[in-house]
Amino acid sequence: MKDFAYSRHETADNYHGVIAVLDDRHRVIVCKDGIQWILQRRRGRGQRPWNALHYCQTQKALTRVCRTSCRAPDPIAMQVLARLPDHIRAAR
């Protein structure tokens, strides 16, 4: 059995910093430097399947952009986001 390896590339399907999957086209990650949360949208199965939509440093801003960008975000994913610290600096 082959071990599953996570990627350090933010645009990869298997990026190690995924926080929540909101629906089949949107997810939230923490950037590789740990200084912001990023709302991403799936564009397809090309070389870079995930593209950034919004960059946020506060939980309030992140929640707002997720609610406005996703028609029906997963309620459990939104609960995960609600439990994030007020500012990403507090998460480090």
Side-chain angles (χ1 to χ4, degrees), residues 12 24 46 58-59 69:
D24 61 336
T58 66
Q59 185 271 345
S69 297

Side-chain angles (χ1 to χ4, degrees), residues 10 15-19 28-38 88:
E10 294 173 349
Y15 177 61
H16 71 90
V18 175
I19 295 173
V28 174
I29 67 167
V30 62
C31 78
K32 63 184 175 185
D33 298 321
I35 60 170
Q36 57 197 353
W37 293 299
I38 305 172
I88 193 148

Side-chain angles (χ1 to χ4, degrees), residues 31-85:
C31 78
K32 63 184 175 185
D33 298 321
I35 60 170
Q36 57 197 353
W37 293 299
I38 305 172
L39 173 62
Q40 294 181 316
R41 180 171 55 203
R42 179 183 290 283
R43 288 286 187 183
R45 299 250 179 229
Q47 189 174 12
R48 295 176 184 250
W50 293 96
N51 293 312
L53 291 178
H54 297 280
Y55 300 88
C56 303
Q57 291 188 333
T58 66
Q59 185 271 345
K60 185 176 180 178
L62 178 64
T63 301
R64 184 179 66 247
V65 298
C66 289
R67 289 195 189 286
T68 59
S69 297
C70 304
R71 292 181 190 253
D74 180 71
I76 294 172
M78 293 306 291
Q79 287 177 4
V80 169
L81 299 183
R83 291 187 187 112
L84 291 173

